[in-house]
């Protein structure tokens, strides 16, 4: 995969959009040292000073039915890559975060551009924010000080291996890999969506990545929300 390197960008998501709009045809990834307008899910901002990883990976001609499956695939890619660097527990947190010992280490943002999928990945290597909804951590707290470039190479290798095995063995394997490391599976959780929240048992995720929440025997299928 072609990886384009930058020193500074507004957001790797926006640069990916510009390149797609200008007719860039192959699959590519964008890595920058700093972002001036990094964004997270639900329009939140993503602090992006030098030392952490800010990456967007573009996949062409994605079947719209499979969008949420790609999100889970990338969750597993991050989980496995980070697990190869630390001995502490690395978990996938629904819908799109990766936790290191219950603290947020990485987030994934999925956007579409025509039939292309832009997967934005932020991983805290040297820094993590303090004033956030969910406690955060970084790899340096665990003695890991790889560069964003080294981490990108590892992610791309895991992605290519896992994508090939997805194509060969089908998606259910990934759902299981994701569930095997899922944070708070079979536990009571609170899901917030806009100003409302629901409490119930996190039973599973379905084949589309929706979370199945059991509230006193009633099953709810949730496609978006924040998990606490
Ligand atoms: C989240 O947890 O809300 C998702 C965060 C995604 C952040 C990454 S950093 C690289 C890419 N460019 C952005 O502006 N956002 C994503």
């Amino acid at each position: 995969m072609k990886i384009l390197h930058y020193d500074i960008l507004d957001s790797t998501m926006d640069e990916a959009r510009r390149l797609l709009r200008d007719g860039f045809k192959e699959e590519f990834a964008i890595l920058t040292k700093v972002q001036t307008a990094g964004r997270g899910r639900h329009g939140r901002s993503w602090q992006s000073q030098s030392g952490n990883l800010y990456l967007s990976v573009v996949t062409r001609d994605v079947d719209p039915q499979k969008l949420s499956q790609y999100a889970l695939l990338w969750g597993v890619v991050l989980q496995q890559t980070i697990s190869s660097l630390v001995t502490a527990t690395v978990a996938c947190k629904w819908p799109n975060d990766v936790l290191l010992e219950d603290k947020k280490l990485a987030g994934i943002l999925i956007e579409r551009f025509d039939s292309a999928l832009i997967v934005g990945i932020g991983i805290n290597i040297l820094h993590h924010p303090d004033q956030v909804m969910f406690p955060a951590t970084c790899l340096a707290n665990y003695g890991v000080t790889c560069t964003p470039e080294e981490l990108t190479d590892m992610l791309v290798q895991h992605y290519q291996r896992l994508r090939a095995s997805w194509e060969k063995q089908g998606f259910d394997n990934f759902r299981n890999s994701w569930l095997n490391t899922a944070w708070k599976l079979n536990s009571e959780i609170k899901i917030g969506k806009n100003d409302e929240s629901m409490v119930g048992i996190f039973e599973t995720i379905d084949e589309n990545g929706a979370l199945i929440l059991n509230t006193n025997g009633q099953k709810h299928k949730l496609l978006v929300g924040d998990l606490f």
Side-chain angles (χ1 to χ4, degrees):
M1 184 183 309
K2 193 179 181 76
I3 301 174
L4 305 166
H5 295 257
Y6 295 78
D7 284 334
I8 185 162
L9 280 175
D10 43 3
S11 158
T12 55
M13 304 306 274
D14 292 332
E15 181 64 6
R17 287 178 177 276
R18 286 189 285 268
L19 292 176
L20 285 165
R21 197 191 51 215
D22 293 349
F24 211 91
K25 288 280 176 275
E26 31 185 325
E27 301 216 325
F28 61 94
I30 292 174
L31 179 69
T32 189
K33 290 191 169 71
V34 172
Q35 295 185 121
T36 53
R39 59 177 179 266
R41 291 193 302 277
H42 309 299
R44 296 179 187 127
S45 75
W46 187 261
Q47 290 180 25
S48 306
Q49 71 267 52
S50 173
N52 288 349
L53 175 137
Y54 313 109
L55 178 73
S56 286
V57 180
V58 173
T59 305
R60 316 299 306 229
D61 301 322
V62 169
D63 175 351
Q65 310 274 8
K66 291 194 174 164
L67 287 181
S68 41
Q69 300 190 347
Y70 269 93
L72 294 189
L73 170 69
W74 273 102
V76 175
V77 168
L78 263 67
Q79 197 278 337
Q80 293 195 0
T81 306
I82 293 157
S83 291
S84 71
L85 295 171
V86 294
T87 50
T89 310
V90 186
C92 290
K93 174 175 176 275
W94 185 87
N96 271 329
D97 291 338
V98 176
L99 306 185
L100 189 47
E101 288 187 320
D102 297 334
K103 293 190 176 155
K104 180 158 171 169
L105 180 81
I108 302 173
L109 175 69
I110 305 273
E111 293 181 358
R112 283 175 68 182
F113 184 95
D114 296 335
S115 64
L117 184 70
I118 310 171
V119 178
I121 299 162
I123 302 181
N124 300 333
I125 302 177
L126 293 186
H127 322 277
H128 65 80
D130 289 320
Q131 301 299 319
V132 273
M133 265 188 349
F134 196 89
T137 191
C138 60
L139 285 171
N141 286 350
Y142 291 78
V144 178
T145 50
C146 57
T147 63
E149 289 77 13
E150 287 163 346
L151 193 50
T152 298
D153 288 343
M154 289 183 236
L155 288 168
V156 169
Q157 275 175 30
H158 279 270
Y159 168 64
Q160 285 170 336
R161 178 179 56 78
L162 288 167
R163 190 172 158 190
S165 96
W166 172 18
E167 274 157 21
K168 216 161 126 194
Q169 298 167 14
F171 182 70
D172 243 22
N173 259 359
F174 281 96
R175 204 167 71 95
N176 290 333
S177 307
W178 195 95
L179 283 168
N180 281 340
T181 66
W183 190 69
K184 297 283 181 204
L185 185 68
N186 300 318
S187 308
E188 188 174 88
I189 54 164
K190 184 166 144 192
I191 299 271
K193 196 175 144 190
N194 303 326
D195 285 337
E196 291 169 24
S197 64
M198 282 173 103
V199 175
I201 304 293
F202 176 5
E203 278 200 345
T204 189
I205 51 167
D206 72 7
E207 64 289 352
N208 294 314
L211 183 145
I212 309 298
L213 188 74
N214 187 329
T215 57
N216 300 321
Q218 250 201 324
K219 295 195 192 220
H220 305 265
K221 197 190 255 206
L222 303 169
L223 275 162
V224 284
D226 283 311
L227 193 162
F228 297 100

